[in-house]
Amino acid sequence: MRGRRTLRARVAGRTRTLLALGLGLAVIASLVAMSAAGAVAQDANESVSEEAYVEPAPEPGDPYFEARADDGTWVSYENPRDEYRSPYLGDGSGKICVTLVNENGDPVIGESVPDTKVTIPTGGATTWHSEADPITVKFPMNDHYNFPLDGDQFGTSPDVAQGDGYMDSHCYEFHGNPEDATISYGEAQISGQYADRIEVAGYIQQTPAGDGWDTDIDPVAAAEPYEEAGGGWTYDAAENSTHGQAVVVLQLDAPADERPESSNTSDTADNESTEQPTGSNESTGGDGSESDGGDEMPGFGVLAAGVALSIAVLARTRG
């Protein structure tokens, strides 16, 4: 009987050992997969040909702030490309914009694609506008325009009526068209030195009946092919639809081996107010030397802990 109990104990011990080993291997495999996924995501986020252009929307008192509704339903910013028809024939107004984003979908101004431009043909209803026959946007925008981005067309924030509080679009506005006029625009044409690095993601067109532009959308995800977007709109004063907007969404797509390493510009800007004083070891090792943590694959600290736990379980079951 004693021999049988000893045999059973040995079998049970081996079973527990195998179970613990299997659990440990499963934990290790899971952590390795998570670490690899994190590394891929990190590489993807850093692999952009141009860093995001961060331009806070003008606030009351700023030169380019125009007006906002008392009930908080809309906000308007001054636009150097905003013109009024003469003679003024009605309340038909609207704008056509260009939004350029990098590979991650962040707004940029085209510093990585100099001597390149996008041209958008327009119909007769806007030919009176000095810069809308056709509309041409040259990159980089800060080299050619005093106010590169004048529209906050996308995003949401509880602090602003429309958008997320950061400028993201280069727009041409026109006012004074007849209230039954039809505004039309053609397909965007990219030309110049780096034309092959810009993709037309699509078009977003809205002709809201008094409700304003819907900013709670992702420009790349919401962009549609030209034929589906509409290519223009017709005003209808009876339906309180005397305003329309269209945004041409462009996205950078430079070869991966020609994209510079990320400089983490946005992170630097966010941390300027919390910069550590000289001599602080907050970002260094305990001895004050610089850390090499940025070169390590993320997640290996957790992985080591998982391995140690598995070894401890094995040791306990064997004992």
Side-chain angles (χ1 to χ4, degrees), residues 14 26 35 62 66 83 92 109 176 200 243:
R14 290 176 180 174
S35 298
D62 292 340
E66 186 173 24
E83 295 187 9
I109 56 174
V200 179
H243 183 84

Side-chain angles (χ1 to χ4, degrees), residues 16-288:
R16 288 194 299 270
T17 299
L18 290 174
L19 287 173
L21 180 60
L23 176 61
L25 291 175
V27 170
I28 293 171
S30 176
L31 290 171
V32 169
M34 290 172 60
S35 298
V40 171
Q42 187 180 45
D43 289 344
N45 288 335
E46 293 180 351
S47 181
V48 294
S49 55
E50 183 173 338
E51 295 290 338
Y53 184 79
V54 181
E55 178 68 35
E59 297 181 353
D62 292 340
Y64 285 102
F65 182 86
E66 186 173 24
R68 64 183 174 190
D70 293 335
D71 61 2
T73 55
W74 56 266
V75 62
S76 179
Y77 309 109
E78 292 283 354
N79 184 349
R81 293 164 287 280
D82 184 2
E83 295 187 9
Y84 288 77
R85 183 186 178 98
S86 181
Y88 191 95
L89 301 178
D91 291 331
S93 67
K95 59 184 179 181
I96 295 176
C97 308
V98 170
T99 293
L100 177 64
V101 299
N102 63 19
E103 289 82 356
N104 281 343
D106 301 317
V108 295
I109 56 174
E111 292 177 314
S112 64
V113 286
D115 300 319
T116 307
K117 65 181 180 180
V118 55
T119 302
I120 306 166
T122 55
T126 58
T127 54
W128 53 268
H129 190 294
S130 65
E131 297 181 82
D133 184 27
I135 290 174
T136 300
V137 180
K138 301 176 181 179
F139 304 120
M141 286 184 268
N142 61 336
D143 279 358
H144 300 284
Y145 311 97
N146 292 331
F147 195 28
L149 302 180
D150 49 74
D152 182 8
Q153 298 289 107
F154 304 103
T156 57
S157 170
D159 300 325
V160 294
Q162 294 173 292
D164 60 1
Y166 293 91
M167 309 304 263
D168 52 41
S169 303
H170 181 97
C171 302
Y172 292 77
E173 300 187 35
F174 29 86
H175 308 271
N177 283 307
E179 295 173 9
D180 60 351
T182 295
I183 304 297
S184 61
Y185 57 90
E187 295 189 61
Q189 303 164 6
I190 313 296
S191 59
Q193 184 177 357
Y194 295 101
D196 59 342
R197 296 190 178 190
I198 300 178
E199 299 289 339
V200 179
Y203 306 76
I204 302 173
Q205 177 179 305
Q206 295 184 32
T207 52
D211 295 329
W213 176 266
D214 180 13
T215 66
D216 190 16
I217 52 178
D218 177 88
V220 176
E224 299 178 310
Y226 176 78
E227 295 78 9
E228 296 180 19
W233 63 86
T234 299
Y235 299 116
D236 187 345
E239 295 293 332
N240 193 28
S241 183
T242 56
H243 183 84
Q245 297 186 46
V247 177
V248 180
V249 182
L250 308 176
Q251 186 165 31
L252 297 178
D253 186 20
D257 60 349
E258 295 182 22
R259 300 176 190 175
E261 293 184 6
S262 174
S263 61
N264 294 323
T265 303
S266 59
D267 293 340
T268 301
D270 292 340
N271 294 328
E272 283 182 353
S273 61
T274 58
E275 184 177 353
Q276 296 296 327
T278 303
S280 170
N281 290 333
E282 284 290 327
S283 59
T284 63
D287 60 354

